[in-house]
Amino acid sequence: MTIRVTLNGDAREVEEELTVAALLDSLGIKAPRVVVEHNMRILRAEDLAAARIADGDELEVLQFVGGG
Amino acid sequence: MTLTDTATADELRIGGAVLRNRLIHGTGRFPSNDVLRQCLEAAQPDMVTLAIRRLSLDGGGRNELEGVDFSSCTLLPNTAGATTAQQAIRLAHLARAAGLSEFIKVEVVGDERTLLPDPAGTLEATRVLVEDGFTVLAYTSDDVVLALRLEEAGAAAVMPGAAPIGTTLGIQNPFNVKLIIDRLDVPVIVDAGLGVPSEAVRCMEWGAAAVLVNTAIARARNPVEMARAFRDAVAAGRRAHLAGRAEISFEAVASSPTAGLPTSSS
């Protein structure tokens, strides 16, 4: 079974019962200083493995970029 | 009389950060990460600005700042892109979570064409983020009273713009910038719109605590040399400020002794 989530503004289908940590892992994301917002709530790094993704969830994965 | 080298032990303290170098270096709009890296080596900043944006999810999430070392700098994330206080507050919390830094440059744009800051939104975001424990550096216009209100709201530093962001037009309202420097007790950092090092020197001579430069370096023909030039300019301006300018006289005063001239025989 898959569920639909919005990831960085794009609709995606992911496996149900997935955690945020597992999702990042499946996307190959290991970049330093990534920050994740799950339904507008910021996840601390230590909470990524416990955060379970449900149908309709919104996720933002952000990083530092150049700026002034 | 012994005249000490005042600039050697001179430090700027903002929150928990200690800046020996009063050039705050932007990191946007550089031609490449390699050029940015060389600029940072040339300018040796103690504080750099960053923005926070979505990670590109293709190919494992490329680190946009790959190869650039910020380990010797205090990171100053900004809230660029925010057009409301709420958006700025959200970005600030994300930046804190991402970087473990309590510093935030509050930037709330009120007009997309000029990118001039929204006074009400900037003040509101500053109040809330100070309450949330951030060290707030507030980017603002050259309005003197707004600068005072930001100081009252708890901003650790106030950052009036010299000209609209990215224009390199230089200091458009020197009188107001000077008034802000004179009226505020917190450090005043001139931010945005500077074009050439002489403008940075002027700001520092007037007593600005620091300047923030991005586009003027990033878009110079030789960014690395321009980074070096701004570093030297900021240091020179600061040293001149500490030295204290000579008094202005509207009557000419000879620099050479008037006595002791040999008399003419004719």
Coordinates of all heavy atoms in Angstrom, one line a residue, chain A residues 7-10 12 27-37 40 42-43 60-68, chain B residues 26-28 49-55 57 60-65 77-78 90 93-95 97-99 105 214:
Chain A
L7 N 5.9 16.6 -0.8 CA 7.3 16.7 -0.4 C 7.9 17.8 -1.1 O 7.9 17.8 -2.3 CB 8.0 15.3 -0.7 CG 9.5 15.2 -0.3 CD1 9.7 15.5 1.1 CD2 10.0 13.9 -0.8
N8 N 8.3 18.8 -0.4 CA 8.9 20.1 -1.0 C 7.9 20.6 -2.1 O 8.4 21.0 -3.2 CB 10.3 19.8 -1.5 CG 11.3 19.9 -0.4 OD1 10.9 19.9 0.8 ND2 12.6 19.8 -0.7
G9 N 6.7 20.6 -1.8 CA 5.7 21.1 -2.7 C 5.2 20.2 -3.8 O 4.2 20.5 -4.5
D10 N 5.8 19.0 -4.0 CA 5.4 18.1 -5.0 C 4.7 16.9 -4.4 O 5.1 16.4 -3.4 CB 6.6 17.6 -5.8 CG 7.3 18.7 -6.6 OD1 6.6 19.6 -7.0 OD2 8.5 18.7 -6.7
R12 N 3.8 13.1 -4.0 CA 4.6 11.9 -4.1 C 3.8 10.7 -3.5 O 3.1 10.9 -2.5 CB 5.9 12.0 -3.4 CG 7.0 12.7 -4.2 CD 8.3 12.5 -3.5 NE 9.3 13.3 -4.2 CZ 10.4 12.9 -4.7 NH1 10.7 11.7 -4.6 NH2 11.2 13.8 -5.3
L27 N 15.7 8.4 -0.3 CA 16.0 9.5 -1.3 C 17.6 9.7 -1.4 O 18.0 10.5 -2.2 CB 15.4 10.8 -0.9 CG 13.8 10.8 -1.0 CD1 13.3 12.0 -0.3 CD2 13.4 10.8 -2.5
G28 N 18.3 9.0 -0.5 CA 19.8 9.1 -0.5 C 20.3 10.4 0.1 O 21.3 10.9 -0.2
I29 N 19.4 11.0 0.9 CA 19.8 12.4 1.4 C 20.7 12.2 2.7 O 20.2 11.7 3.7 CB 18.5 13.2 1.8 CG1 17.8 13.5 0.5 CG2 18.9 14.5 2.5 CD1 16.4 14.0 0.7
K30 N 21.9 12.7 2.6 CA 22.8 12.7 3.7 C 23.4 14.0 3.9 O 24.3 14.2 4.7 CB 23.9 11.6 3.5 CG 23.4 10.2 3.6 CD 24.5 9.2 3.7 CE 24.1 7.8 3.2 NZ 24.0 7.7 1.7
A31 N 23.0 15.0 3.1 CA 23.6 16.3 3.1 C 23.6 16.8 4.5 O 22.7 16.6 5.3 CB 22.9 17.3 2.2
P32 N 24.7 17.5 4.9 CA 24.8 18.0 6.3 C 23.8 19.2 6.4 O 23.4 19.9 5.5 CB 26.2 18.6 6.4 CG 26.6 18.8 5.0 CD 25.9 17.8 4.1
R33 N 23.4 19.4 7.7 CA 22.5 20.5 8.0 C 21.2 20.5 7.3 O 20.6 21.6 7.0 CB 23.2 21.8 7.7 CG 24.4 22.1 8.6 CD 24.6 23.6 8.9 NE 25.6 23.8 9.8 CZ 26.9 24.1 9.4 NH1 27.2 24.2 8.2 NH2 27.8 24.4 10.3
V34 N 20.6 19.4 7.0 CA 19.3 19.3 6.5 C 18.3 19.5 7.7 O 18.6 19.0 8.8 CB 19.0 17.9 5.8 CG1 17.5 17.8 5.5 CG2 19.8 17.8 4.5
V35 N 17.3 20.2 7.4 CA 16.2 20.4 8.4 C 14.9 20.0 7.8 O 14.6 20.3 6.7 CB 16.2 21.8 9.1 CG1 15.9 22.8 8.0 CG2 15.2 21.9 10.2
V36 N 14.1 19.3 8.6 CA 12.9 18.7 8.1 C 11.7 19.3 8.9 O 11.7 19.4 10.1 CB 12.8 17.2 8.2 CG1 11.5 16.6 7.7 CG2 14.0 16.6 7.5
E37 N 10.7 19.7 8.1 CA 9.5 20.2 8.7 C 8.4 19.2 8.3 O 8.2 19.0 7.2 CB 9.2 21.6 8.2 CG 8.3 22.5 9.0 CD 7.9 23.8 8.3 OE1 7.5 23.7 7.1 OE2 8.1 24.8 8.9
M40 N 4.4 21.3 9.2 CA 4.7 22.6 9.8 C 5.4 22.5 11.2 O 5.6 23.5 11.8 CB 3.4 23.5 9.9 CG 2.8 23.9 8.6 SD 3.8 25.0 7.6 CE 3.5 26.6 8.5
I42 N 8.8 21.5 13.2 CA 10.2 21.2 12.9 C 10.6 19.9 13.7 O 10.3 19.8 14.9 CB 11.1 22.4 13.3 CG1 10.8 23.6 12.5 CG2 12.6 22.0 13.2 CD1 11.4 24.9 13.0
L43 N 11.3 19.0 12.9 CA 11.8 17.8 13.6 C 13.2 17.9 14.0 O 14.0 18.4 13.2 CB 11.6 16.6 12.6 CG 10.2 16.2 12.3 CD1 10.3 15.0 11.3 CD2 9.4 15.8 13.5
E60 N 8.7 19.3 4.4 CA 9.6 20.2 3.7 C 11.0 19.8 4.2 O 11.3 19.6 5.4 CB 9.4 21.6 4.2 CG 8.1 22.2 3.7 CD 8.1 22.7 2.3 OE1 9.2 22.7 1.7 OE2 7.0 23.1 1.8
V61 N 11.9 19.6 3.2 CA 13.3 19.3 3.5 C 14.2 20.4 3.1 O 14.2 20.8 1.9 CB 13.8 18.0 2.8 CG1 15.2 17.6 3.3 CG2 12.8 16.8 3.2
L62 N 14.8 21.1 4.0 CA 15.5 22.4 3.7 C 17.0 22.3 4.0 O 17.4 21.5 4.8 CB 14.8 23.5 4.4 CG 13.3 23.6 4.2 CD1 12.6 23.7 5.4 CD2 13.0 24.8 3.3
Q63 N 17.7 23.2 3.4 CA 19.2 23.3 3.7 C 19.6 24.8 3.6 O 18.9 25.6 3.0 CB 19.9 22.5 2.7 CG 19.9 23.0 1.3 CD 20.9 22.4 0.3 OE1 21.8 21.7 0.7 NE2 20.6 22.5 -1.0
F64 N 20.8 25.0 4.0 CA 21.4 26.4 3.8 C 21.9 26.5 2.4 O 22.5 25.6 1.9 CB 22.6 26.6 4.8 CG 22.1 26.9 6.2 CD1 22.8 26.3 7.3 CD2 21.2 27.8 6.5 CE1 22.4 26.5 8.6 CE2 20.8 28.1 7.8 CZ 21.4 27.5 8.8
V65 N 21.6 27.7 1.8 CA 22.1 28.0 0.5 C 22.8 29.4 0.6 O 22.6 30.1 1.6 CB 21.0 28.0 -0.6 CG1 20.4 26.6 -0.7 CG2 20.0 29.1 -0.3
G66 N 23.5 29.8 -0.4 CA 24.1 31.1 -0.4 C 23.0 32.2 -0.3 O 21.9 32.1 -0.9
G67 N 23.3 33.3 0.4 CA 22.4 34.4 0.5 C 23.0 35.6 1.2 O 24.2 35.5 1.7
G68 N 22.4 36.7 1.2 CA 23.0 37.9 1.6 C 22.3 38.5 2.9 O 21.4 37.9 3.4
Chain B
G26 N 28.5 38.2 2.5 CA 27.3 37.5 2.0 C 27.8 36.3 1.2 O 29.0 36.2 0.8
T27 N 26.9 35.3 0.8 CA 27.4 34.1 0.1 C 26.5 33.9 -1.1 O 26.6 32.8 -1.7 CB 27.3 32.9 1.0 OG1 26.0 32.7 1.5 CG2 28.2 33.1 2.2
G28 N 25.6 34.8 -1.5 CA 24.7 34.7 -2.6 C 25.3 35.3 -3.9 O 26.1 36.1 -3.8
T49 N 26.6 35.4 6.0 CA 25.2 35.2 5.9 C 24.8 34.0 5.0 O 25.6 33.7 4.1 CB 24.5 36.5 5.3 OG1 25.1 36.8 4.0 CG2 24.6 37.7 6.2
L50 N 23.7 33.4 5.3 CA 23.2 32.3 4.5 C 21.7 32.4 4.4 O 21.1 33.1 5.2 CB 23.5 31.0 5.2 CG 25.0 30.6 5.4 CD1 25.1 29.4 6.4 CD2 25.6 30.2 4.0
A51 N 21.1 31.7 3.4 CA 19.6 31.7 3.3 C 19.2 30.2 3.5 O 20.1 29.3 3.5 CB 19.2 32.2 1.9
I52 N 17.9 30.0 3.7 CA 17.5 28.6 3.9 C 16.4 28.3 2.8 O 15.5 29.2 2.6 CB 17.0 28.3 5.3 CG1 16.8 26.8 5.5 CG2 15.8 29.1 5.7 CD1 16.9 26.4 6.9
R53 N 16.6 27.2 2.1 CA 15.7 26.9 1.0 C 15.5 25.4 0.9 O 16.2 24.6 1.5 CB 16.3 27.4 -0.4 CG 16.4 28.9 -0.6 CD 15.0 29.5 -0.8 NE 15.1 30.9 -0.9 CZ 15.1 31.8 0.1 NH1 15.0 31.4 1.3 NH2 15.1 33.1 -0.2
R54 N 14.5 25.0 0.1 CA 14.2 23.6 -0.2 C 15.5 22.9 -0.7 O 16.2 23.4 -1.6 CB 13.1 23.4 -1.1 CG 11.7 23.6 -0.5 CD 10.7 23.6 -1.6 NE 9.3 23.6 -0.9 CZ 8.2 23.9 -1.6 NH1 8.2 24.2 -2.8 NH2 7.1 23.8 -0.9
L55 N 15.7 21.7 -0.2 CA 16.8 20.9 -0.8 C 16.2 20.3 -2.1 O 15.1 19.8 -2.2 CB 17.0 19.7 0.2 CG 18.1 18.7 -0.1 CD1 19.5 19.3 0.1 CD2 18.0 17.5 0.7
L57 N 15.7 17.4 -4.4 CA 15.7 16.0 -4.0 C 16.2 15.1 -5.0 O 16.3 13.9 -4.8 CB 14.2 15.7 -3.6 CG 13.7 16.5 -2.4 CD1 12.2 16.1 -2.3 CD2 14.4 16.2 -1.2
G60 N 20.0 12.5 -4.4 CA 20.4 12.4 -3.0 C 20.6 13.8 -2.4 O 21.2 13.9 -1.3
G61 N 20.0 14.8 -3.0 CA 20.0 16.1 -2.3 C 21.4 16.8 -2.3 O 22.2 16.7 -1.4
R62 N 21.7 17.4 -3.4 CA 23.0 18.1 -3.6 C 23.2 19.2 -2.5 O 22.3 20.0 -2.4 CB 23.1 18.7 -5.0 CG 24.5 19.2 -5.4 CD 24.4 19.5 -6.9 NE 23.4 20.5 -7.2 CZ 23.6 21.8 -7.2 NH1 24.8 22.3 -6.9 NH2 22.7 22.7 -7.5
N63 N 24.3 19.2 -1.9 CA 24.7 20.3 -1.0 C 25.1 21.5 -1.8 O 26.1 21.5 -2.5 CB 25.8 19.9 0.0 CG 26.3 21.0 0.9 OD1 25.7 22.1 0.9 ND2 27.3 20.8 1.6
E64 N 24.2 22.6 -1.8 CA 24.5 23.7 -2.6 C 25.8 24.5 -2.3 O 26.3 25.2 -3.1 CB 23.3 24.7 -2.4 CG 22.0 24.2 -2.9 CD 21.5 24.8 -4.2 OE1 22.3 25.6 -4.7 OE2 20.5 24.3 -4.7
L65 N 26.3 24.2 -1.1 CA 27.5 25.0 -0.7 C 28.7 24.0 -0.5 O 29.6 24.2 0.3 CB 27.2 25.7 0.6 CG 26.2 26.9 0.5 CD1 25.7 27.4 1.8 CD2 26.8 28.0 -0.3
P77 N 22.1 33.2 9.5 CA 21.1 32.9 8.5 C 20.1 34.1 8.4 O 19.9 34.8 9.3 CB 20.3 31.7 9.1 CG 21.0 31.3 10.4 CD 22.0 32.5 10.7
N78 N 19.5 34.2 7.2 CA 18.6 35.3 7.0 C 17.2 34.7 6.8 O 17.0 33.5 6.6 CB 19.0 36.2 5.8 CG 18.9 35.5 4.5 OD1 18.1 34.6 4.2 ND2 19.8 35.9 3.6
R90 N 8.9 31.6 10.9 CA 9.1 30.2 10.5 C 10.5 29.9 10.0 O 11.1 28.9 10.4 CB 8.0 29.9 9.4 CG 8.0 28.5 8.9 CD 7.1 28.3 7.8 NE 7.1 26.9 7.2 CZ 6.5 26.6 6.1 NH1 6.0 27.5 5.3 NH2 6.6 25.4 5.6
H93 N 13.1 29.8 12.7 CA 13.1 28.6 13.5 C 13.7 27.4 12.7 O 14.4 26.6 13.3 CB 11.7 28.3 14.0 CG 11.3 29.1 15.2 ND1 11.6 28.7 16.5 CD2 10.6 30.2 15.3 CE1 11.1 29.6 17.3 NE2 10.5 30.6 16.6
L94 N 13.4 27.4 11.4 CA 14.0 26.4 10.6 C 15.5 26.5 10.5 O 16.3 25.6 10.6 CB 13.5 26.4 9.1 CG 12.0 25.9 9.0 CD1 11.4 26.4 7.7 CD2 12.1 24.4 9.1
A95 N 16.0 27.8 10.4 CA 17.4 28.0 10.4 C 18.1 27.6 11.7 O 19.2 27.0 11.7 CB 17.7 29.5 10.1
A97 N 17.1 25.4 13.7 CA 17.1 23.9 13.8 C 18.2 23.3 12.9 O 18.8 22.3 13.2 CB 15.7 23.3 13.4
A98 N 18.4 24.0 11.7 CA 19.4 23.5 10.8 C 20.8 23.8 11.2 O 21.7 23.0 10.9 CB 19.2 24.1 9.4
G99 N 21.0 24.9 11.8 CA 22.4 25.3 12.1 C 22.8 25.4 13.5 O 24.0 25.7 13.8
K105 N 19.2 37.0 10.9 CA 19.0 38.3 10.2 C 17.6 38.4 9.8 O 17.2 37.7 8.8 CB 20.0 38.5 9.0 CG 19.7 39.8 8.2 CD 20.6 39.9 7.0 CE 20.0 40.8 6.0 NZ 20.7 40.9 4.7
N214 N 27.5 41.8 -0.1 CA 27.4 40.5 -0.9 C 27.5 40.8 -2.4 O 28.6 40.5 -3.0 CB 26.0 39.9 -0.6 CG 25.8 38.6 -1.2 OD1 26.5 38.2 -2.2 ND2 24.9 37.8 -0.8

